[in-house]
Each structure stands twice: as C-alpha cells, then as structure tokens.
C-alpha cells in the first residue's frame, strides 16, 4: 500500500516543492495539542516472528500500552521493533511494514512513525553481523575503515525499514572501572571525535539518523559507577568530555543527540537548558532532534528528585531541549497534556519540539506524497506469504563478515613479545583459561546475542561464533591442542587450576585465554551496569595466570575483554601478551591469525593498560601531579601506555624536514618524519602527533593527542611525512572560560605511543593570546611527500 497523493490536491505539508520548514509549519498548524504531543514519544514494541503487527513490549517502568487508544492521535517513534526479541529479519520487516500501515491509517494525517534500533557494534537484531565493539574501533586508529563498517550497518538497517540508530557513544573514558568502557572509543577526546565522526558519516550516508550519546559526562561518574553523580570542573568538561561531541556535530552532521543519565554538579543533563539548548543549538548550531535516553525523563522524578510529578518531569525536559521521550510514553502523554491545559507549560514549548520532529520526518521522506512503507528488502522478494519470506533477508553476508574480520585484524594489539610470536609449527599447545571455549567471549553487551539472545536460550545466536579453540585448531592443524579451562570467567573457582598447570607442563607453549563476559546490570563482568571495584582480572583468572607463569613454559596471554586489566607479573614474565577488545564474530580467527603470523598486528591501545589494580581513575591525559611523583606512594604509571602497540616488522624513524621554529598564535608549525620498514614483511605504523605545553596559564596534560596517521609499508619501503600543526590545536579553555591559544613554547612530538616520542620539535608561538571558537582548525594536515620502494 502506498500513500501516493496527487500533487494538485496535496496539502502544503505534502508538497515537496516548498521548503521543509514551511511544510512542517503547515502540518503543525493542523494538529491538535494531543496530536502534537503524540509526535513526541515512542512506544516500545516487538516485531512478530509471523509477520503480524508489532506488539507493545512491557517493562517494569511501562504503563500498559493500548495501541488502539494511542494511534488515532499519531505516533512519533517505534522503539526497537527488531531488537526486542529474536525475529527472522524478513518477517520483522513485514511486521514493521504492517505496523506502519496501521499507524498511517489510524491518524487523520497519515503520519508514519520513525523506527529506531541499537547499532553500537552492528545492527542489534537476530542474524545481523556482530562487529567489534567501539573500543576496538579506537584501537584500529583507522576512521576510513570504521566509516565503511557503519555504512554497511546503516544499509542493513535501512533495507528493512529502520530510520534511526542509537550510536555512536562519544563518552571519553575517565575511569576504566566503569562498565560501559567497551562501548566507548577510548580515553582520548581527539581519537573519540575522529572515529566517531567517521561512524556518523557512514551511518548518515546510508540514510540512517545517527544519534550521538551520551551528552554529556556519563563516563565521568564517581568511582566508575553507572549513573553515579559527576563532579568535574568546567575545564575538564569543555576540553575533554565535550570536545568529541563538538567535532562530530561540526564534521559528521548527525541528526540526533541523546542526553546522558547523569547529573553534573547537581544538574541532570536531561534538564540542563544551558547544555541542550544554549551550547548544543545556540552555539554549535545543531538543528536535529534531542531524544531521551531510555526512561531518562521519568528519572527526574524517580532518581534525581527534581520533579514531584510526571508532568513536572516532562516540562523540565522539554524546556531544557529534549524533543522525544524514549523508549515509550510515560511523562510525555497525558501528564504533558495536563501541564499545558493547566497553564504550567506554554504550548510554544511543545510546538518547538514538534517542528523538529516533523522536519526530521520530512527529511526522511515520510511525508512525501509517494512515500511507501515497503522497505527495500521486501521490494526485492515481495511480502505476501510470511512463510515464504522466512530466511530471504541476509544481514550477515560475506561482505559484512569480511569487513568484520578486517576490523578485528586491525584492532588487535600486540602488547609485548619476546620473540615467541609468531608461533612457528608448535607441536603441543596447551590452552587454558575461560574465554577459550566461550563463543560469546568476542561479543559486547549491545550485541544482539548478549543483549537479548541470552533471554531466549531456546534460540540459536543466528550468526557463526567460532571459539578461540575452534580457530586455533584451524590455524595450527598439525598441533596437538590440550584444553583445560582452569577456572570460569567470574566464579572464582580455583580447584581446576592444578589440572591446567599439569596440561601446561606437557606443552611446548601455552596460550592463556582470559577476559570478560559481557552482560547487563551485574549479569556480566563488562557492560552497562557491570562496573568493577578494581582492575584485577575477574574471578580467579589472575590466580590461574600466576600459576601458569610459575611453570616457566613459554606463555602467550590473550585477552578478550571490554576494558583494560592489570596483569600483575605477566607484564614482564609472559612471553607475549595480545589484547583484543571484544573483537566481534570474526575475532577469534583474527586473533589466531596474529598468533600464527598470518596477520601482522597493527592495533594501538585506545586506553592505557594499568600496572596495578587500584590506580583508577587515571588516564594518559594527566598533568604532572597526576603522574608518578615523590609526594605520593601510589604510582599510576601504566604498564602499557595509550597508543602503544607492536608489530612483526621493525619500523625505523628519523627526523624529516621541519619548518621554522617560530610562528604566530594563528600560524602553522611544520614537523617532518621519515619512516622505513626495516623488516622482511609488511609493517603497520601509526604516527601519533602530540602537543606538550611546558608553561601555560592553567595546568595542562603532559601530552595530548592532536592527530594521527596510519601507514602501511612493504618490506624495505620508506615514506616521508610532512605534518602541519595549526596553532589552533594548542588551544584550551582559559581562566575566563573562553578557548584560547597562548603565546610561548609548544613542543610537538611525533611518537609510536604517548610515552614513546620519536621526533620532537620545539616551536615558539608569538603574538597576543587569541580566542578561538567553533570554527577553529581541528586536525593537522598530514602529507605523504615521498614513497620509495626497497
């Protein structure tokens, strides 16, 4: 069924020849108050696995939803029709199609709903590709690769009728104990911003509305506890936590933003008008919609204590700048109608939000005369017989899996290696540790199998998930592999460690498989609500590791985890350590390929690996007094620093041609570097650009990343790079609250990590301090001058 209407009789809001703003205004003028408010909330639904209409999904915070009562007024959004229960993708698309037709037929203006889904590490639905988690994207230091991934994710979502994706997460890691570290891109705002921009561009280019989250401060919650209050200064907020959002709003052009659950110094983000309107819209020029994190508006009453009634909560959020309540109607329904009718809230506040929602629906084509609810996936195969449709939509095709493998290979980090890797024809391999035989060890908490599938044990994961044991058997077909788990991931059992040690003593080499299990709200060791008291490995895994190391058998430690962990003596005693951050469905073949040497490791750490368990919160973005010093007995120095990563070929660095050592506060400094692959195989190097400000008007981090460039070099190949660093990249928030560039000495370092600076250049900036704003330079210009083959 199509909603095609003759253009000669179409109302103004259907007329595609007039500007979208005018179309939205024309429709707004026709809506009653109840119809306006109906555009400002979603309903949490689940698609039918028989292709029927979606059904309301009940939650302990939900009121009973009667669609027959709601739909005549219209509906703003459908919440996770694919991501609430296992459903065949083709039948889910059919269910969504029939639901959209019902929605259109039920309201007097034929307005469809926006359907949104989670897509943090892939389209979160049954049978869709599970890509590596965002922390692995950061480890790739490869924005172009991540843009390709998000375009594929977006194309899959769009093909079955989804309009909006709730990603990416732009929270900057401030405390690695926080359970949602796996969902972040890393501990550096520039890395988060550049990778996040790439993700948004890919998703938006596929026609999906990208949603930045969580705006802002969520990752800085006290003691790394989920939803705990945030107590940070204005400078840390501006220079660390807001910076990625600012970059992505400017360069990625997302069409939606989601507020954070947390409060900053007593003001919840959901009720912060200075943040959601003053900064986001008035200063940065954002024109899209602001959506609530799930139940976030209701939390103003139930958790924050800012509202005494649901109507007060709704009024606070709308006034601050929240446009849409998700996941379902709670405060934006009848309580909001009552607030307007009583005069407690002006209708103009409602109108402001509705304009944004209608404009977005117009931009999506949902109000065009020729709009049809049939998604591309069903256009190709038809949508008559539900049984015939089953299995006709493939969301985990060979192209997706190949890209998932490529990201996994580029994101796995070789932390240490005494020469044991790559393994050459081992005869007897002992494999110990709880992640070796766990197919879910590669999945983050927002992957569909871990997020929803675990609630449906009768249903298969829908995708192939080879274990590390499976992949090692393929990678080393001539080896005898002896597996003993030794302990579980978090049970704390030690009785099996002796058997594991016996297996190790019989082997030529041992692979120790450690890490996390993703879950939600305490049902895992990593994920939302799975915060850690310390960065000790979960359960008895450290005990197992120590016992294995004590045997003296050559040991390769592999980690499949969602956060960094302290590894005790392994940092120096293990023969090699390989870190993979939940590397997705192709993660174990990639990891096995690195162990064999088939794959050259090229990942770099997006977060520091701590040397001890109890030094959080701590990141590499540390001022001098936040580092090791004589005034404290606690040494927070990382075992492996931000940006660190090894390969199987040595790359030699030398200084290239530099520019003048003096420039102005609005000028450019040029630093040159030459790289040469001195090995006998392809090498990967990530040239990281850091700024050090020796003397400033406020305390500054000792090193701060301002750029990077990933380089692939064939054996014997060399390349000369010229890197132009704008003085804008030295800017920071000054004492008066404005972002400034100060005169004085700046040290530009080019390094292989934040602590391994290979080329350094001191440059003096001259002139008066200069204020910079939203239009400042954000990136260095990296130019490959010369490439020479061997």
């Amino acid at each position: 069924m199509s909603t095609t209407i003759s253009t000669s009789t179409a109302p103004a809001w259907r007329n595609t020849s007039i500007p979208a703003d005018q179309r939205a205004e024309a429709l707004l003028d026709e809506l009653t108050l109840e119809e306006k408010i109906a555009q400002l909330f979603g309903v949490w639904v689940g698609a039918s696995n028989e292709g029927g209409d979606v059904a309301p999904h009940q939650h302990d915070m939900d009121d009973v939803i009667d669609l027959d009562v709601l739909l005549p007024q219209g509906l703003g959004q459908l919440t996770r029709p694919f991501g609430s229960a296992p459903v065949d993708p083709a039948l889910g698309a059919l269910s969504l199609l029939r639901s959209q037709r019902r929605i259109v037929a039920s309201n007097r203006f034929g307005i469809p709903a926006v359907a949104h889904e989670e897509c943090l590490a892939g389209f979160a639905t049954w049978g869709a590709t599970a890509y590596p988690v965002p922390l692995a994207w950061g480890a790739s230091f490869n924005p172009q690769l991540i843009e390709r991934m998000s375009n594929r994710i977006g194309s899959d979502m769009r093909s079955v009728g989804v309009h909006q994706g709730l990603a990416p997460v732009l929270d900057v890691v401030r405390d690695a104990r926080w359970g949602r570290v796996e969902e972040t891109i890393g501990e550096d705002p520039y890395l988060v911003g550049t990778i996040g921009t790439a993700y948004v561009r890919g998703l938006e280019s596929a026609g999906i509305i990208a949603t930045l989250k969580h705006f802002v401060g969520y990752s800085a919650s006290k003691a790394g506890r989920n939803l705990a209050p945030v107590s940070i200064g204005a400078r840390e907020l501006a220079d660390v936590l807001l910076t990625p959002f600012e970059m992505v709003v400017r360069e990625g052009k997302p069409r939606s933003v989601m507020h954070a659950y947390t409060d900053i110094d007593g003001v919840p983000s959901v009720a912060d008008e200075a943040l959601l309107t003053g900064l986001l819209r008035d200063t940065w020029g954002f024109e899209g919609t602001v959506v609530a994190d799930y139940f976030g508006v209701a939390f103003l009453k139930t958790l924050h204590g800012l509202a005494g009634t649901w109507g007060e909560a709704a009024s606070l959020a709308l006034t601050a700048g929240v446009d849409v309540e998700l996941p379902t109607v709670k405060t934006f329904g009848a309580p909001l109608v009552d607030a307007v009718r009583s005069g407690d809230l002006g209708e103009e506040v409602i109108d402001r939000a509705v304009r944004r929602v209608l404009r977005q629906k117009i931009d999506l084509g949902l109000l065009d005369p020729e709009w049809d609810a049939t998604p591309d996936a069903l256009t190709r195969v038809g949508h008559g017989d539900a049984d015939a449709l089953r299995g006709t939509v493939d969301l985990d095709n060979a192209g997706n899996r190949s890209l998932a493998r490529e990201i996994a290979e580029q994101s796995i980090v070789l932390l240490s290696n005494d020469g044991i890797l790559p393994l050459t024809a081992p005869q007897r391999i002992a494999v110990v540790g709880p992640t070796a035989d766990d197919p879910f060890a590669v999945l983050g908490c927002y992957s569909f199998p871990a997020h929803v599938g675990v609630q449906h044990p009768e249903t298969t994961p829908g995708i192939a998930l080879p274990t590390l044991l499976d992949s090692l058997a393929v990678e080393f077909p001539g080896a005898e592999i002896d597996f003993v788990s030794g302990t579980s991931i978090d049970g704390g059992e030690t009785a099996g460690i002796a058997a594991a040690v016996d297996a190790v003593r019989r082997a030529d080499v041992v692979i120790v498989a450690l890490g996390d299990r993703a879950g939600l709200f305490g049902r895992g060791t990593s994920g939302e609500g799975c915060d850690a008291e310390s960065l000790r490995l979960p359960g008895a895994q450290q005990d197992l590791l120590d016992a294995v190391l004590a045997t003296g058998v050559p040991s390769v430690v592999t980690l499949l985890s969602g956060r960094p962990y302290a590894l005790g003596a392994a940092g120096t005693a293990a023969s090699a350590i390989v870190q993979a951050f939940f590397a997705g469905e192709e993660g174990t073949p990639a990891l096995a390929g690195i162990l064999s040497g088939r794959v050259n490791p090229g990942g770099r750490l997006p977060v520091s690996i701590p040397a001890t368990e109890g030094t959080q919160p701590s990141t590499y973005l540390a001022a001098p007094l936040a580092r090791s010093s004589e005034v404290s007995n606690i040494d927070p120095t990382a075992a492996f620093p931000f940006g660190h990563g090894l390969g199987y070929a040595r790359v030699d660095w030398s200084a290239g041609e530099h520019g003048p050592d003096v420039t102005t506060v609005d000028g450019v400094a040029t630093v040159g570097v030459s790289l040469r692959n001195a090995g006998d195989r392809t090498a990967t190097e990530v040239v990281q650009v850091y700024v050090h400000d020796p003397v400033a008007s406020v305390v500054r981090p000792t090193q701060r990343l301002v750029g990077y460039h990933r380089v692939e070099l064939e054996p014997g190949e060399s390349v000369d790079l010229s890197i132009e660093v704008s003085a804008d990249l030295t800017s920071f928030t000054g004492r008066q609250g404005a972002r400034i560039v100060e005169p004085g000495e700046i040290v530009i370092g080019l390094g292989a990590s934040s602590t391994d600076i290979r080329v350094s250049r001191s440059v003096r900036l001259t002139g008066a301090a200069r204020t910079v704003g939203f239009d400042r330079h954000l990136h260095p210009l990296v130019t490959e001058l010369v490439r020479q083959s061997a």
Side-chain angles (χ1 to χ4, degrees):
M1 183 180 86
S2 170
T3 59
T4 301
I5 299 173
S6 169
T7 55
S8 61
T9 60
W13 50 272
R14 293 267 191 205
N15 189 342
T16 58
S17 67
I18 64 176
D21 288 340
Q22 292 182 27
R23 293 173 65 188
E25 200 66 36
L27 181 53
L28 179 66
D29 289 343
E30 299 289 333
L31 299 177
T32 66
L33 175 62
E34 288 79 5
E35 288 170 332
K36 291 175 183 178
I37 290 174
Q39 293 299 313
L40 303 184
F41 57 74
V43 171
W44 198 337
V45 297
S48 165
N49 207 24
E50 283 72 46
D53 286 352
V54 297
H57 174 73
Q58 296 304 314
H59 184 280
D60 57 9
M61 277 201 68
D62 295 353
D63 296 322
V64 175
I65 301 298
D66 188 338
L67 292 180
D68 289 333
V69 174
L70 284 181
L71 294 185
Q73 305 298 334
L75 182 63
Q77 295 223 4
L78 286 168
T79 292
R80 299 181 66 183
F82 288 87
S84 299
V87 59
D88 178 272
L91 297 182
L94 178 61
S95 177
L96 180 56
L97 163 64
R98 290 173 174 171
S99 300
Q100 287 283 31
R101 287 178 172 174
R102 178 184 175 188
I103 292 166
V104 167
S106 296
N107 72 84
R108 64 193 182 107
F109 296 106
I111 306 171
V114 169
H116 78 256
E117 289 288 351
E118 296 285 359
C119 56
L120 189 68
F123 182 9
T125 191
W126 186 85
T129 304
Y131 292 95
V133 297
L135 201 57
W137 311 347
S140 78
F141 277 74
N142 191 337
Q144 294 77 20
L145 185 63
I146 302 311
E147 184 171 345
R148 286 170 50 203
M149 177 198 71
S150 60
N151 180 265
R152 278 190 169 270
I153 294 171
S155 297
D156 285 342
M157 296 169 71
R158 199 71 198 91
S159 74
V160 293
V162 177
H163 307 101
Q164 182 168 358
L166 302 187
V169 169
L170 300 184
D171 298 297
V172 180
V173 176
R174 303 301 286 162
D175 188 329
R177 295 173 298 179
W178 189 48
R180 303 189 79 167
V181 167
E182 65 173 68
E183 301 178 43
T184 75
I185 295 167
E187 69 184 30
D188 178 82
Y190 183 82
L191 179 64
V192 174
T194 51
I195 298 292
T197 296
Y199 182 93
V200 167
R201 285 174 172 165
L203 206 65
E204 290 279 357
S205 67
I208 294 292
I209 296 169
T211 309
L212 311 186
K213 59 186 190 181
H214 307 86
F215 194 61
V216 64
Y218 191 13
S219 59
S221 57
K222 286 184 178 179
R225 294 180 59 247
N226 193 40
L227 270 67
V230 175
S231 299
I232 56 174
R235 187 165 294 103
E236 181 178 354
L237 177 65
D239 291 354
V240 178
L241 299 179
L242 283 170
T243 299
F245 288 95
E246 181 183 14
M247 179 186 291
V248 179
V249 165
R250 175 176 155 183
E251 298 191 331
K253 308 299 182 187
R255 287 179 282 174
S256 194
V257 170
M258 176 180 280
H259 72 76
Y261 282 129
T262 42
D263 69 89
I264 298 178
D265 196 24
V267 180
S269 295
V270 64
D272 192 342
E273 187 173 7
L275 177 71
L276 299 182
T277 298
L279 179 65
L280 180 63
R281 296 190 184 278
D282 297 343
T283 300
W284 292 354
F286 176 72
E287 296 181 346
T289 56
V290 173
V291 300
D293 203 345
Y294 285 12
F295 308 107
V297 179
F299 286 169
L300 287 171
K301 177 178 182 291
T302 60
L303 297 182
H304 292 298
L306 263 68
T309 67
W310 299 128
E312 289 175 3
S315 297
L316 282 169
L318 269 167
T319 301
V322 176
D323 301 311
V324 180
E325 181 180 26
L326 298 178
T328 196
V329 57
K330 180 71 177 180
T331 72
F332 276 25
L336 190 53
V337 173
D338 293 343
V340 176
R341 297 285 190 215
S342 67
D344 292 336
L345 181 69
E347 191 167 351
E348 69 277 1
V349 180
I350 305 294
D351 290 349
R352 181 182 69 174
V354 176
R355 284 188 187 96
R356 295 167 183 159
V357 169
L358 294 179
R359 170 61 191 266
Q360 200 156 82
K361 291 189 174 185
I362 289 167
D363 289 344
L364 288 167
L366 300 184
L367 300 183
D368 291 355
E370 68 278 6
W371 177 79
D372 187 345
T374 307
D376 288 346
L378 297 186
T379 300
R380 294 191 295 267
V381 300
H383 49 85
D385 184 354
D387 288 335
L389 282 177
R390 197 179 302 274
T392 60
V393 174
D394 184 4
L395 300 179
D396 188 34
N397 56 55
N400 284 9
R401 294 194 302 272
S402 175
L403 183 56
R405 175 85 65 99
E406 186 177 357
I407 297 168
E409 291 175 349
Q410 291 199 20
S411 65
I412 295 174
V413 186
L414 178 60
L415 298 180
S416 66
N417 184 19
D418 68 1
I420 190 174
L421 295 182
L423 296 174
T424 55
Q427 297 300 304
R428 295 181 302 279
I429 302 174
V431 179
V432 302
T435 61
D437 65 339
D438 183 356
F440 279 35
V442 293
L443 299 178
C445 79
Y446 270 83
S447 67
F448 185 85
H451 196 77
V452 177
V454 292
Q455 302 170 40
H456 302 270
E458 75 285 356
T459 304
T460 66
I463 53 176
L465 294 170
T467 67
L468 182 56
L469 273 177
D470 296 333
S471 295
L472 290 172
V474 172
E475 201 72 34
F476 300 100
E480 176 186 334
I481 298 177
D482 187 8
F483 168 64
V484 180
S485 65
T487 189
S488 66
I489 287 176
D490 61 342
E493 308 92 345
T494 58
I497 293 178
V501 167
D502 288 343
V504 170
R505 289 196 173 106
R506 296 191 298 268
D508 301 322
V509 62
V510 55
I511 296 172
V512 190
L514 308 173
D516 278 317
R517 182 184 68 255
L520 292 168
F521 305 112
R523 295 188 292 274
T525 60
S526 174
E528 185 173 1
C530 296
D531 311 313
E533 292 184 3
S534 78
L535 295 185
R536 180 182 175 85
L537 283 163
Q541 292 185 72
Q542 186 67 54
D543 300 297
L544 173 65
L545 176 57
D546 291 343
V548 169
L549 294 175
T551 66
V553 175
S555 55
V556 178
V557 178
T558 65
L559 293 122
L560 285 163
S561 66
R563 64 162 63 84
Y565 285 105
L567 300 175
T572 55
S575 304
I577 305 174
V578 184
Q579 171 72 62
F581 296 110
F582 288 148
E585 64 181 60
E586 292 289 328
T588 62
L591 179 54
I594 285 174
L595 299 185
S596 73
R598 176 176 53 80
V599 177
N600 181 49
R604 300 295 185 268
L605 284 177
V607 287
S608 307
I609 303 288
T612 58
E613 304 163 6
T615 54
Q616 292 296 304
S618 179
T619 77
Y620 98 98
L621 276 177
L625 284 176
R627 295 173 178 267
S628 177
S629 71
E630 296 179 355
V631 299
S632 173
N633 62 317
I634 296 175
D635 183 356
T637 303
F640 302 102
F642 172 85
H644 171 75
L646 305 176
Y648 291 150
R650 190 183 84 244
V651 176
D652 292 336
W653 294 52
S654 60
E657 185 175 340
H658 301 324
D661 58 8
V662 177
T663 189
T664 61
V665 291
D666 59 355
V668 172
T670 301
V671 183
V673 65
S674 297
L675 306 175
R676 179 179 175 275
N677 181 355
D680 58 1
R681 57 182 297 160
T682 301
T684 297
E685 190 61 274
V686 178
V687 178
Q688 301 163 41
V689 186
Y690 292 92
V691 164
H692 168 56
D693 191 347
V695 180
S697 58
V698 300
V699 175
R700 305 293 298 135
T702 302
Q703 295 285 9
R704 179 171 61 88
L705 185 75
V706 298
Y708 57 86
H709 184 68
R710 187 177 175 110
V711 180
E712 305 288 336
L713 294 171
E714 294 301 317
E717 187 178 21
S718 63
V719 64
D720 294 342
L721 301 178
S722 175
I723 301 174
E724 297 180 14
V725 179
S726 167
D728 289 7
L729 301 186
T730 71
S731 66
F732 58 88
T733 300
R735 294 192 181 196
Q736 305 307 313
R739 180 172 285 275
I740 59 173
V741 177
E742 283 188 337
E745 182 188 10
I746 292 293
V747 180
I748 300 170
L750 308 182
S753 79
S754 56
T755 64
D756 184 9
I757 303 300
R758 305 287 180 86
V759 175
S760 182
R761 177 70 167 166
S762 177
V763 177
R764 181 161 296 279
L765 306 183
T766 62
R770 167 174 160 262
T771 300
V772 295
F774 188 63
D775 59 349
R776 69 189 183 278
H777 290 285
L778 298 178
H779 311 282
L781 176 63
V782 180
T783 305
E784 291 194 3
L785 299 176
V786 178
R787 264 191 185 260
Q788 292 184 334
S789 301

